[in-house]
Amino acid sequence: MAVSSSSPLSRTLRIGIVGFGPFGQFLATTMMKQGHTLTATSRSDHSQLCARLGISFFRGMTEFIEAENDVIMLCTSILSLTEVLKSLPLHCLKRPTLFADVLSVKEGPREVLLQGCRMLEMSCEEHDKLAARSQFLTHTIGRILSEMEIESTPIDTKGFQTLIQLKESTIRDSFDLYSGLFVHNKFAKQELNNLVLAFEKVKQKLEEMNEKSDLSMQPL
């Protein structure tokens, strides 16, 4: 794998590294220079090193998977790949995530990585259309909730707790990442317009119901 520390970026990513040995550390420092946000997990405790580098280190796999990485890079040894993959609680993934390996052999890891995966073949245009409806729309709602400064209350419903979680998970990502979803995806602009129109329709229905309620309350 060739990595250039000077190549321009259109967006930054949240990248997780499994196996923080010498090569994982090299990749992490290189990608941080490119502006990416790094997380890491490893069998050995590299928390102090990661703290010095500005990398979030997780001892537990569940916490690492729940950190909502855009990309997870497997920097383990060839022999431990299968064991490491089995230890990943993939059901805890909260977003579509790209997995990549940096191993020196490919045929064996390919078979291991494809186990339990559902491969979808689609065009770049179709992918961006689906991403605008799912990823961009999710981030937009989360950002709106953040602007409203919503916080947990003593009488939270399950639905409201979900909104709190959505807000907190989206604002962990940089605004550069969020704006990149909009600037570089032509379908995101239409989704934003659809969201505004939908809000106006709901608002209008509420105002109409309010007017009817006011009329019914007037004395005969």
Side-chain angles (χ1 to χ4, degrees):
M1 174 183 290
V3 180
S4 171
S5 60
S6 60
S7 58
L9 292 173
S10 59
R11 56 170 291 196
T12 58
L13 298 171
R14 188 173 178 86
I15 302 174
I17 294 180
V18 180
F20 206 63
F23 191 62
Q25 295 168 25
F26 163 73
L27 288 178
T29 53
T30 301
M31 289 184 288
M32 288 190 69
K33 292 177 183 178
Q34 296 174 331
H36 300 298
T37 300
L38 272 293
T39 66
T41 186
S42 191
R43 288 183 298 183
S44 301
D45 185 1
H46 294 285
S47 55
Q48 292 186 356
L49 173 60
C50 285
R52 291 197 299 271
L53 296 174
I55 296 171
S56 299
F57 184 80
F58 298 90
R59 294 304 307 271
M61 283 294 190
T62 299
E63 291 79 6
F64 173 77
I65 290 294
E66 290 179 342
E68 299 192 23
N69 296 292
D70 299 294
V71 181
I72 291 180
M73 303 195 69
L74 303 171
C75 299
T76 65
S77 68
I78 297 172
L79 295 178
S80 64
L81 177 63
T82 301
E83 179 184 351
V84 169
L85 283 175
K86 288 181 178 179
S87 70
L88 294 177
L90 299 180
H91 63 279
C92 294
L93 287 171
K94 297 181 179 179
R95 64 168 65 179
T97 306
L98 173 66
F99 282 77
D101 75 87
V102 296
L103 303 181
S104 300
V105 296
K106 294 302 175 189
E107 194 64 32
R110 175 181 177 275
E111 296 302 320
V112 174
L113 286 168
L114 290 181
Q115 289 179 13
C117 294
R118 182 168 61 96
M119 303 298 292
L120 296 177
E121 183 176 350
M122 64 179 65
S123 65
C124 295
E125 182 177 11
E126 184 179 1
H127 173 274
D128 284 1
K129 186 180 295 184
L130 295 176
R133 172 58 61 92
S134 58
Q135 191 175 8
F136 172 73
L137 198 56
T138 299
H139 274 260
T140 299
I141 297 296
R143 291 283 172 177
I144 292 172
L145 295 174
S146 176
E147 290 293 332
M148 295 175 64
E149 299 182 348
I150 67 168
E151 299 292 343
S152 182
T153 73
I155 56 171
D156 283 0
T157 61
K158 289 293 184 182
F160 190 72
Q161 290 175 357
T162 300
L163 292 180
I164 294 289
Q165 292 172 0
L166 173 60
K167 181 204 73 170
E168 292 177 348
S169 65
T170 51
I171 63 175
R172 280 201 295 264
D173 291 321
S174 68
F175 195 83
D176 283 346
L177 184 150
Y178 170 59
S179 61
L181 297 175
F182 179 76
V183 173
H184 298 287
N185 187 342
K186 62 181 181 181
F187 299 105
K189 299 172 179 62
Q190 184 58 53
E191 288 298 331
L192 184 60
N193 291 334
N194 292 342
L195 179 62
V196 173
L197 290 173
F199 174 80
E200 289 298 329
K201 287 181 180 179
V202 172
K203 180 182 176 183
Q204 182 179 354
K205 288 180 180 179
L206 288 174
E207 290 174 344
E208 290 173 354
M209 291 300 296
N210 188 56
E211 291 177 2
K212 291 180 180 179
S213 177
D214 289 343
L215 289 174
S216 66
M217 295 295 290
Q218 292 181 3
L220 298 176

